[in-house]
């Protein structure tokens, strides 16, 4: 049995959680900074690291208190080593290192993208718990990445596709900005699109980049189409609810069809949706409806950045992720490079 403290500071959430056996979430504390970045329309790295520094110890204390755990109950301290913002990662890595050293605990460095997949191993109150069957096809859709990864076993991955330009979450954030919907853009687009669908069936259709014959994605053409539509270059612009709905429909259509096709072709036994964009309800529902395989998607609070997924990943990959005291943050850390 393990009881792991997971710490995450790669972007704009300061998070810590205590997880037992990679599944039972005893606490999951997330201090979001989005209100600090909203006025700038995106994450400001320097503001992020400074705020992580201010709150990280309180967040860790809160995670232990909420879990009714002491340092003696812990088996290890795990932290996101990368990828992410350099200064933000530095705060988490150094804090985790110091705490592990002071309490004589193993110290584990976790890949943030791999950890997003492991959010699907966590138990959710009120849901029957099932463990994903491997091999599984993982779709990781976050603010910085869009990757299709075949997970053959714990620590055994092959990346089969990725975005060639913008990440899905980045496209949501940029489209929201063009529509004047604020930051973060994903939830804003989802809310706005819901109004359009409730009012009437949207007529606007935006392009889809299928990149036939490849498992890669591309969202920059769609982004440009949103810009032209907002500017009313070809026709008077439709209401922004309709543009938001058409944008979301395009992203969801491409992500779900390509993921299901790849999963079937690769002989996967389940699909693992993960990353911040996995919080999107139409994406979750469409993927579940289109897939003949079981689809796993964490509850929204475990889709966006959190410490529980870091602790879960650390449990299943304990020996592989043991790090030395000289571990440095790795802002450009890769995951499942084509093998
Ligand atoms: O995984 P995450 O919390 O941080 C990164 O590792 O990047 O993902 C953040 C991204 C943002 O781009 C945000 O707009 C997007 O996830 N997001 C959503 C939704 N909630 C968050 N995108 C679409 N629909 C949502 N409901
Ligand atoms: Zn993330």
């Amino acid at each position: 049995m393990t009881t792991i403290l997971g710490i995450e500071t790669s972007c704009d959430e300061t998070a810590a959680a205590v997880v037992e056996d990679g599944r039972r979430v005893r606490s999951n504390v997330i201090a979001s900074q989005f209100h600090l970045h909203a006025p700038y329309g995106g994450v400001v790295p320097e503001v992020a690291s400074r705020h992580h520094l201010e709150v990280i110890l309180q967040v860790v204390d809160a995670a232990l208190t909420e879990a009714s755990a002491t340092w003696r109950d812990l088996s290890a301290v795990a932290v996101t080593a990368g990828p992410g913002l350099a200064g933000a990662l530095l705060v988490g890595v150094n804090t985790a290192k110091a705490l592990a050293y002071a309490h004589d605990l193993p110290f584990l460095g976790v890949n943030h993208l791999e950890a997003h997949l492991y959010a699907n191993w966590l138990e959710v109150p009120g849901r029957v718990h099932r463990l994903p069957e491997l091999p599984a096809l993982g779709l990781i859709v976050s603010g910085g990445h869009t990757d299709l990864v075949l997970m053959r076993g714990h620590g055994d991955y092959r990346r089969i596709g990725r975005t060639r330009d913008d990440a899905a979450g980045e496209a949501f954030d940029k489209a929201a900005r063009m529509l004047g919907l604020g930051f973060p853009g994903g939830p804003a687009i989802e809310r706005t699109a819901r109004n359009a669908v409730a009012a009437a069936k949207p007529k606007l259709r935006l392009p889809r980049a299928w990149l036939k014959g490849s498992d890669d994605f591309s969202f920059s053409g769609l982004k440009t189409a949103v810009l032209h539509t907002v500017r009313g270059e070809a026709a008077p612009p439709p209401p922004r609810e309709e543009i938001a709905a058409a944008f979301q429909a395009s992203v969801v259509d491409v992500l779900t069809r390509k993921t299901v096709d790849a999963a079937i072709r690769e002989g996967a036994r389940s699909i693992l949706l993960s990353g911040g964009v996995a919080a999107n309800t139409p994406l979750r529902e469409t993927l579940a409806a289109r897939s003949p395989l079981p689809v796993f998607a964490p509850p929204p609070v475990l889709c966006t950045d959190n410490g529980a997924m870091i602790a879960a990943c650390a449990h299943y990959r304990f020996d592989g992720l043991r790090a030395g005291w000289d571990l440095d943050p790795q802002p450009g850390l890769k995951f499942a490079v084509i093998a």
Side-chain angles (χ1 to χ4, degrees), residues 31-310:
S32 177
Q33 312 178 353
F34 82 90
H35 58 287
L36 296 176
H37 304 286
Y40 305 98
V43 177
V44 183
E46 206 32 58
V47 173
S49 27
R50 213 169 313 147
H51 195 68
H52 284 312
L53 200 53
E54 278 169 22
V55 303
I56 183 120
L57 290 178
Q58 282 161 265
V59 168
V60 168
D61 277 347
L64 288 173
T65 308
E66 223 174 81
S68 305
T70 66
W71 288 101
R72 286 202 193 175
D73 300 324
L74 296 182
S75 333
V77 178
V79 67
T80 302
L85 302 169
L89 290 167
L90 189 66
V91 177
V93 168
N94 281 347
T95 305
K97 202 185 283 183
L99 291 172
Y101 188 80
H103 296 284
D104 200 16
L105 288 166
F107 170 57
L108 284 75
V110 174
N111 184 311
H112 182 86
L113 299 172
E114 182 178 7
H116 267 304
L117 291 176
Y118 277 96
N120 285 300
W121 267 257
L122 295 166
E123 288 177 4
V124 180
R127 255 202 216 176
V128 178
H129 189 60
R130 285 184 311 159
L131 290 176
E133 274 194 66
L134 303 180
L137 189 80
L139 172 65
I140 307 168
V141 271
S142 73
H145 295 83
T146 299
D147 287 332
L148 262 184
V149 173
L150 186 67
M151 178 174 185
R152 294 175 288 211
H154 297 288
D156 180 6
Y157 308 96
R158 182 164 64 91
R159 190 183 72 198
I160 61 172
R162 63 177 165 82
T163 182
R164 293 188 185 170
D165 37 59
D166 291 343
E170 191 180 355
F172 266 97
D173 293 335
K174 288 178 178 167
R177 201 162 168 176
M178 291 181 228
L179 292 168
L181 294 176
F183 173 84
I189 296 248
E190 183 176 346
R191 271 194 310 275
T192 309
R194 208 176 296 141
N195 295 339
V197 177
K201 200 156 170 49
K203 290 182 286 291
L204 178 69
R205 187 180 164 90
L206 293 171
R208 284 131 172 83
W210 294 110
L211 306 183
K212 288 246 174 334
S214 158
D215 291 315
D216 285 351
F217 300 98
S218 165
F219 298 106
S220 66
L222 172 61
K223 194 179 62 183
T224 309
V226 170
L227 187 64
H228 290 323
T229 310
V230 171
R231 286 188 181 154
E233 286 175 9
R240 64 181 184 175
E241 286 77 9
E242 195 166 336
I243 305 177
F247 166 84
Q248 181 175 258
S250 169
V251 175
V252 167
D253 196 17
V254 173
L255 286 177
T256 54
R257 286 197 195 280
K258 296 196 75 155
T259 301
V260 170
D261 287 353
I264 294 169
R265 193 195 62 229
E266 297 289 335
R269 300 174 74 175
S270 54
I271 292 178
L272 309 176
L273 185 58
S274 59
V277 182
N280 186 273
T281 308
L283 174 61
R284 301 161 73 92
E285 291 180 350
T286 310
L287 187 58
R290 286 182 177 170
S291 170
L293 306 167
V295 174
F296 290 77
V301 68
L302 296 174
C303 288
T304 43
D305 293 347
N306 64 84
M309 67 185 197
I310 305 302

